[in-house]
């Protein structure tokens, strides 16, 4: 059965710290891995990774995929209180239209001032 | 810059009542989805519509029906609400470009309580 497992489930850090969130996956005919940030409401898209070893970066956030070891990490440097959220990752198979996302349960990040 | 719009934002129902959750997107996306999100269970797909005129069951379709009214709108109906359907419901949409996956974009959710 396909699955995505995130760790840790929750994390508390202080502003300025660097955090690494982990996502491992077992997805038949794996195509891509996506990261989302969920604050109070809608999950918002962060990154989509399809190639191994190529880092994607947006400001203080970056992510990389390892298709050999079947995992991805999301790094946040110089954390701010606004980074407090649940971070979700999801894997897709090779159906070709992103209709089947296999979701992890998320990592709840709290950044204290 | 609306994106995906869901109505209502909150609703309380009694067991056995029916209601329809509305979703509309203005991004001209082909595909639309309905999820429910429960503590400890993550996001689970209820139904999806790959394109206008088609709908398919997801992981947890029992107790729900959907209608893809046109390209913009995808509604979710609870015919006879049960307490187990208390959840936060999210609608999402994505573009379909052949073999290229495109990320899903989510609405703000509907918090539904069934008493």
């Amino acid at each position: 059965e396909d699955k995505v497992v995130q760790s840790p489930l929750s994390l508390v850090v202080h502003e300025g710290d660097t955090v690494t969130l982990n996502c491992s996956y077992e997805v038949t005919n794996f195509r891509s891995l996506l990261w989302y940030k969920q604050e109070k409401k809608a999950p918002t898209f962060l990154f989509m990774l399809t190639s191994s070893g190529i880092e994607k970066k947006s400001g203080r956030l970056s992510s990389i995929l390892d298709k050999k070891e079947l995992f991805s990490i999301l790094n946040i440097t110089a954390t701010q209180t606004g980074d407090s959220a649940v971070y979700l990752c999801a894997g897709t198979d090779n159906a070709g239209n992103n209709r089947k996302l296999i979701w992890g349960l998320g990592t709840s990040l709290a950044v204290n001032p | 810059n609306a994106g995906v719009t869901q109505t209502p934002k909150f609703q309380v129902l009694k067991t056995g009542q029916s209601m329809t959750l509305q979703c509309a997107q203005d991004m001209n996306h082909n595909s639309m989805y309905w999820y429910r999100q429960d503590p400890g269970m993550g996001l689970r797909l209820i139904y999806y519509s790959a394109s206008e005129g088609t709908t398919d069951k997801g992981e947890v379709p029992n107790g729900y029906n959907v209608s893809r009214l046109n390209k913009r709108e995808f509604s979710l109906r609870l015919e006879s609400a049960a307490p187990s359907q208390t959840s936060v419901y999210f609608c999402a949409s994505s573009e379909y470009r052949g073999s290229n996956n495109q990320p899903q974009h989510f609405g703000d959710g509907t918090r539904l309580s069934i008493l």
Side-chain angles (χ1 to χ4, degrees):
Chain A
E1 182 182 337
D2 292 343
K3 62 180 179 180
V4 170
V5 178
Q6 294 186 245
S7 63
L9 287 180
S10 65
L11 193 55
V12 181
V13 300
H14 289 103
E15 267 192 317
D17 288 351
T18 293
V19 298
T20 298
L21 309 183
N22 303 293
C23 176
S24 64
Y25 64 90
E26 294 177 24
V27 177
T28 307
N29 297 320
F30 173 81
R31 178 68 179 241
S32 60
L33 190 128
L34 295 89
W35 283 97
Y36 284 81
K37 177 183 181 182
Q38 185 175 23
E39 295 174 87
K40 297 293 184 184
K41 296 183 178 178
T44 53
F45 172 71
L46 294 175
F47 299 112
M48 183 165 71
L49 304 149
T50 55
S51 300
S52 206
I54 298 176
E55 184 183 56
K56 292 217 171 178
K57 196 170 173 64
S58 176
R60 297 176 293 103
L61 276 67
S62 63
S63 184
I64 197 161
L65 177 68
D66 186 328
K67 293 171 81 171
K68 183 179 177 184
E69 300 296 330
L70 308 183
F71 77 90
S72 175
I73 60 172
L74 175 69
N75 278 321
I76 308 174
T77 59
T79 51
Q80 303 171 357
T81 55
D83 295 326
S84 297
V86 175
Y87 290 85
L88 300 167
C89 73
T92 75
D93 65 10
N94 204 19
N97 60 7
N98 207 13
R99 68 172 62 130
K100 181 186 175 188
L101 286 174
I102 299 101
W103 292 90
L105 295 183
T107 293
S108 178
L109 174 65
V111 181
N112 292 331
Chain B
N1 199 16
V4 180
T5 303
Q6 291 183 234
T7 56
K9 295 190 187 311
F10 303 95
Q11 185 71 48
V12 178
L13 293 177
K14 294 181 180 178
T15 298
Q17 287 185 315
S18 62
M19 81 161 295
T20 300
L21 308 186
Q22 306 287 352
C23 175
Q25 52 91 10
D26 62 3
M27 297 173 283
N28 202 35
H29 286 169
N30 298 100
S31 301
M32 297 185 73
Y33 314 82
W34 276 105
Y35 290 93
R36 58 180 291 173
Q37 188 175 39
D38 303 289
M41 303 290 288
L43 280 159
R44 292 182 292 170
L45 184 65
I46 305 171
Y47 271 93
Y48 66 95
S49 171
S51 61
E52 186 178 355
T54 69
T55 61
D56 286 286
K57 295 178 180 180
E59 184 183 353
V60 288
N62 291 345
Y64 305 95
N65 285 301
V66 290
S67 295
R68 183 75 183 265
L69 304 170
N70 48 55
K71 191 172 186 179
R72 289 188 64 247
E73 297 173 287
F74 189 38
S75 63
L76 178 72
R77 182 160 178 84
L78 287 71
E79 290 290 351
S80 179
S84 61
Q85 294 177 303
T86 294
S87 187
V88 180
Y89 291 85
F90 286 101
C91 177
S93 70
S94 68
E95 178 67 5
Y96 172 42
R97 297 176 188 167
S99 62
N100 293 321
N101 286 327
Q102 299 299 315
Q104 294 180 16
H105 298 268
F106 286 78
D108 283 344
T110 295
R111 189 173 294 275
L112 184 62
S113 293
I114 317 293
L115 304 178

